[in-house]
Amino acid sequence: MQTGKNAPTMADVAREAGVALGTVSKVVNGLSVGEAYKEKVEKAIERLGYQYNSSGRALRTDRTNIIALIIPNTINPYFALLVHHINIALEKRNYRMLLCFTEYDRNREVEFIQMARQNRVDGIIALTYNPDLTIPEDVPFVTIDRFFSVSVPCVAADNFGGGWLAANKLYELGCRHLAFMRIGSVLTNEPSKRKEGFVSACVELGIPFEVIALDDGTPLSRFQDFLTGHIHGGKLDFDGIFVGTDTLAWQVITMLRQMGINVPEDVQLIGFDGIRMFGDLNPVVSTIAQPVQEIAEACVSTVLSKHLSNVPSLICLPVKYIFGGTTKA
Amino acid sequence: MQTGKNAPTMADVAREAGVALGTVSKVVNGLSVGEAYKEKVEKAIERLGYQYNSSGRALRTDRTNIIALIIPNTINPYFALLVHHINIALEKRNYRMLLCFTEYDRNREVEFIQMARQNRVDGIIALTYNPDLTIPEDVPFVTIDRFFSVSVPCVAADNFGGGWLAANKLYELGCRHLAFMRIGSVLTNEPSKRKEGFVSACVELGIPFEVIALDDGTPLSRFQDFLTGHIHGGKLDFDGIFVGTDTLAWQVITMLRQMGINVPEDVQLIGFDGIRMFGDLNPVVSTIAQPVQEIAEACVSTVLSKHLSNVPSLICLPVKYIFGGTTKA
DNA sequence: TTGTATGCGTTATCAG
DNA sequence: CTGATAACGCATACAA
């Protein structure tokens, strides 16, 4: 029962069982073998505690059954959820996950792609921000939330629809003057469309709205300034806010509380993502929830699909509104 | 620039550079080679876009530079944080992480260990609950929060000290009648000592205390019953609660609110773990924080240490109290 | 059906 | 210091 330095090999098993090496291989891989042989081999495997060596197998077959997932981190609850569901989808198909955290670092994004190729992973799923990222063409590659080209499938929630839904929901709940707040990468990606959907809906509805979109790294106090700048006569100008992410929504709520403005009485608020407290308790805020499980499934089934060529280049999945206490019921 | 089906090999590079295969290997591995040769090889590598094949290397060297991390999930923010820091510690040492989520499933725990061995990982770090888990002896193995035997190093926070600190802190903040609440696996592991530390401190301090410890799977309503059962004259019997985890602490607070009991005015509350909102914002509750980064470092440096034999069998790291709004300042 | 032999890409040994 | 060659563990084409 050794695996470390000198683990038993198929040759050892063959010797122990008194059969040929090829026969052992067949048994291990479930190919048809005479019943008596099969039994002998299985006994020998059991006795020696044989485990196949995946390096040897990979070298021979050019397949590793490993998919690399490149993502900023697992600290952000939305990413944590995504990692979770992608892992489930992979496990179901007997694939392993090689996890790479970029921490939003452009160099790491590049290095991890290189590393994944060195490890001959069978595919890469990536959520990245590097504007100059080059997608290798020789390994199945699927992106999340960011469209590169028609030859690189991108999976994303319906961000435009989500922004539109948020505005309409707020309107439906009685709001007549809205605001959109977000902070994020300067990069134009799928989540950028949240704002477009929101604006489009406001125009459609014919209601006034404000927009503040800060670049990553801007101090949050700018939001504070924005809010205080929109107080007249002790009252906030708007009665509904759509915030780019649940995380930011939470921070905005904290600001509002400190300013003595009540949520949802004075102003209703909708976030985006669908984060839950501790991953599985109640929603943190009222929100437009991403279909994380479907996104994960789409990523995995796409990256593993044999013929990447006839796969859609943009897979856009529906979002839905979820009540989380920051809107009127 | 191919990696997929027929990526360039060292042989290709050698041919392209007009040198021998062995020379290429030396250049790739940074061994000393004549300057002219080195240059020729590097040029050829550049031209062909050569990436070494880690399966070939692993087969030859018996090292993969991969560590398997076995953990329930990444949804729980504490686990997410742990995964995060372990990954950082591994990356610093040029190791990759093969992440295995068990979802608290005993069979998965066993299967993942087997899988890790098939992949010939250089070590395993595991946070498990299976009472019958067999630790393989041929691969460096480090456990978190659970002691198996002196030959299997275990890394954990000072759980006993944490329980003791919680009780003392509550006392210091004016509490004179405490309670301890927890829910968790029936398994006796390091976190079990939180209660022991707490009880020991209460006895030392000479103050009355209650304890409710539920097995995993028990409905949370039992806590509700416990709390209502301890209300007399509209007032809770105790003025300080120590809860086994921050997650549960949050749920207890929700119950208390619904019962019209104010935190921290009527009852102060301390959790355990040190979870922050969205991973990096404010603490969720006042808490005994685990030194996650130190735990991660200890796991990695231990699992990678050449001579596992002379490593301590239990590495116990200090915790600290952090204010999070559920105690008096 | 079972057995044998070859090569996957790499590193390490050893002779030049 | 360089170059040829064997071996790592496995799957498979081919021969028996």
Side-chain angles (χ1 to χ4, degrees):
Chain A
M1 188 81 99
Q2 284 275 11
T3 313
K5 206 57 205 163
N6 25 18
T9 72
M10 282 193 173
D12 297 323
V13 175
R15 200 177 314 117
E16 172 81 13
V19 302
L21 182 134
T23 309
V24 177
S25 175
K26 282 172 193 152
V27 172
V28 169
N29 290 291
L31 302 183
S32 78
V33 162
E35 192 54 42
Y37 283 82
K38 185 174 170 188
E39 209 160 292
K40 277 198 287 186
V41 171
E42 279 168 349
K43 286 266 193 344
I45 287 179
E46 183 73 19
R47 273 199 299 277
L48 297 167
Y50 169 78
Q51 304 272 25
Y52 74 83
N53 180 320
S54 40
S55 298
R57 178 179 287 186
L59 190 54
R60 186 59 226 254
T61 61
D62 252 320
R63 295 186 55 246
T64 53
N65 269 41
I66 294 179
I67 294 293
L69 175 57
I70 300 179
I71 199 166
N73 61 49
T74 196
I75 297 299
N76 177 310
Y78 176 67
F79 293 147
L81 206 55
L82 202 49
V83 169
H84 178 82
H85 287 290
I86 288 178
N87 186 63
I88 290 177
L90 285 172
E91 189 188 336
K92 222 164 55 183
R93 296 164 172 84
N94 194 32
Y95 273 77
R96 258 62 72 191
M97 184 176 70
L98 188 66
L99 197 45
C100 312
F101 296 134
T102 63
E103 298 300 338
Y104 304 97
D105 176 355
R106 298 172 177 195
N107 291 328
R108 280 211 186 90
E109 295 182 352
V110 174
E111 283 162 16
F112 282 139
I113 289 179
Q114 183 178 24
M115 189 269 279
R117 297 171 76 203
Q118 288 167 349
N119 281 76
R120 298 300 190 272
V121 297
D122 295 338
I124 300 178
I125 300 172
L127 197 164
T128 61
Y129 296 89
N130 186 330
D132 311 313
L133 203 64
T134 306
I135 307 299
E137 306 195 343
D138 46 21
V139 43
F141 204 108
V142 171
T143 62
I144 300 177
D145 274 355
R146 189 171 160 212
F147 182 79
F148 280 83
S149 82
V150 289
S151 62
V152 183
C154 169
V155 177
D158 181 3
N159 287 280
F160 185 94
W164 191 90
L165 176 57
N168 276 279
K169 197 75 198 179
L170 287 170
Y171 184 85
E172 181 188 325
L173 292 169
C175 302
R176 290 298 177 268
H177 188 168
L178 303 183
F180 171 72
M181 303 172 77
R182 78 140 226 175
I183 186 165
S185 80
V186 286
L187 202 70
T188 298
N189 53 16
E190 293 301 312
S192 311
K193 298 183 183 167
R194 292 170 197 175
K195 172 182 146 192
E196 299 167 30
F198 171 83
V199 170
S200 154
C202 288
V203 171
E204 243 173 67
L205 294 166
I207 56 175
F209 63 94
E210 324 275 334
V211 166
I212 177 167
L214 302 183
D215 290 340
D216 237 346
T218 315
L220 283 183
S221 59
R222 291 284 302 274
F223 283 123
Q224 190 96 42
D225 301 342
F226 171 79
L227 291 171
T228 42
H230 280 274
I231 291 194
H232 293 103
K235 268 193 64 205
L236 203 56
D237 291 344
F238 25 84
D239 49 9
I241 307 180
F242 171 46
V243 190
T245 66
D246 289 347
T247 308
L248 182 57
W250 180 268
Q251 292 172 297
V252 169
I253 289 173
T254 308
M255 289 179 198
L256 290 169
R257 283 223 182 94
Q258 285 168 354
M259 297 164 63
I261 296 171
N262 298 314
V263 178
E265 293 79 6
D266 302 333
V267 58
Q268 299 186 63
L269 192 143
I270 292 182
F272 202 106
D273 279 346
I275 289 173
R276 285 164 184 277
M277 196 61 83
F278 304 108
D280 55 2
L281 300 184
N282 296 319
V284 172
V285 295
S286 292
T287 192
I288 305 299
Q290 303 212 39
V292 196
Q293 191 174 342
E294 288 77 8
I295 290 176
E297 266 295 327
C299 286
V300 170
S301 67
T302 301
V303 83
L304 293 180
S305 74
K306 298 295 172 235
H307 307 291
L308 264 195
S309 45
N310 49 21
V311 122
S313 59
L314 180 56
I315 298 173
C316 185
L317 298 161
V319 297
K320 71 170 182 252
Y321 169 75
I322 292 190
F323 173 73
T326 59
T327 44
K328 292 176 183 163
Chain B
M1 189 80 102
Q2 285 275 13
T3 314
K5 206 56 205 161
N6 25 20
T9 72
M10 282 193 172
D12 297 323
V13 175
R15 201 176 313 119
E16 173 81 12
V19 302
L21 176 68
T23 310
V24 178
S25 176
K26 282 173 192 152
V27 172
V28 170
N29 290 291
L31 304 183
S32 76
V33 163
E35 192 54 42
Y37 284 81
K38 185 174 170 189
E39 210 159 293
K40 276 198 287 185
V41 171
E42 280 168 348
K43 286 268 195 340
I45 287 180
E46 182 74 19
R47 273 200 298 278
L48 296 165
Y50 168 79
Q51 303 271 25
Y52 74 82
N53 181 322
S54 41
S55 296
R57 179 178 286 185
L59 187 55
R60 187 57 228 250
T61 60
D62 252 321
R63 293 186 57 245
T64 53
N65 269 42
I66 294 180
I67 294 292
L69 175 57
I70 299 178
I71 198 164
N73 61 50
T74 194
I75 297 298
N76 177 310
Y78 176 67
F79 293 147
L81 205 56
L82 201 50
V83 169
H84 178 83
H85 287 290
I86 288 178
N87 186 65
I88 290 177
L90 285 173
E91 189 186 336
K92 221 164 55 184
R93 296 164 171 85
N94 194 32
Y95 273 77
R96 256 64 71 191
M97 184 175 72
L98 188 65
L99 197 46
C100 312
F101 297 133
T102 64
E103 299 299 338
Y104 303 98
D105 175 357
R106 297 172 178 194
N107 291 328
R108 280 211 187 90
E109 293 181 354
V110 173
E111 283 163 17
F112 282 139
I113 289 179
Q114 183 178 22
M115 189 269 280
R117 297 170 77 204
Q118 287 166 351
N119 281 76
R120 299 302 191 271
V121 298
D122 295 339
I124 300 178
I125 300 173
L127 197 163
T128 60
Y129 297 89
N130 186 332
D132 311 313
L133 203 64
T134 306
I135 307 299
E137 305 194 345
D138 46 22
V139 43
F141 204 108
V142 171
T143 63
I144 301 177
D145 275 356
R146 187 169 163 214
F147 183 80
F148 280 82
S149 83
V150 289
S151 63
V152 182
C154 169
V155 177
D158 181 3
N159 287 281
F160 185 94
W164 191 90
L165 176 57
N168 277 280
K169 198 74 200 179
L170 287 169
Y171 184 85
E172 181 188 325
L173 292 170
C175 302
R176 289 300 177 268
H177 187 168
L178 303 184
F180 171 72
M181 302 172 77
R182 78 140 226 175
I183 186 167
S185 80
V186 287
L187 203 72
T188 298
N189 53 16
E190 293 301 311
S192 311
K193 298 182 182 167
R194 293 171 196 173
K195 172 182 145 190
E196 298 168 30
F198 170 83
V199 170
S200 154
C202 287
V203 171
E204 243 173 66
L205 293 166
I207 56 174
F209 63 95
E210 325 276 335
V211 165
I212 177 167
L214 302 183
D215 290 341
D216 236 346
T218 316
L220 284 183
S221 59
R222 291 285 301 275
F223 283 123
Q224 189 97 42
D225 301 342
F226 171 80
L227 291 171
T228 42
H230 280 273
I231 290 195
H232 294 102
K235 267 194 65 204
L236 203 58
D237 291 345
F238 25 83
D239 49 9
I241 308 180
F242 172 45
V243 189
T245 66
D246 289 347
T247 307
L248 182 57
W250 180 268
Q251 293 171 297
V252 169
I253 289 172
T254 307
M255 290 180 198
L256 291 169
R257 283 224 182 94
Q258 285 168 353
M259 297 164 62
I261 296 171
N262 298 313
V263 178
E265 294 78 7
D266 301 334
V267 57
Q268 299 186 63
L269 191 144
I270 292 182
F272 202 105
D273 279 346
I275 288 174
R276 285 164 185 276
M277 196 61 83
F278 304 107
D280 55 2
L281 300 184
N282 296 320
V284 173
V285 295
S286 292
T287 191
I288 306 300
Q290 303 211 41
V292 195
Q293 190 174 343
E294 288 76 9
I295 289 175
E297 265 296 327
C299 286
V300 170
S301 68
T302 302
V303 83
L304 293 181
S305 74
K306 298 296 172 235
H307 307 291
L308 263 195
S309 45
N310 50 21
V311 122
S313 59
L314 180 58
I315 299 173
C316 185
L317 298 161
V319 296
K320 71 169 182 254
Y321 169 76
I322 292 190
F323 173 74
T326 59
T327 45
K328 292 176 183 162

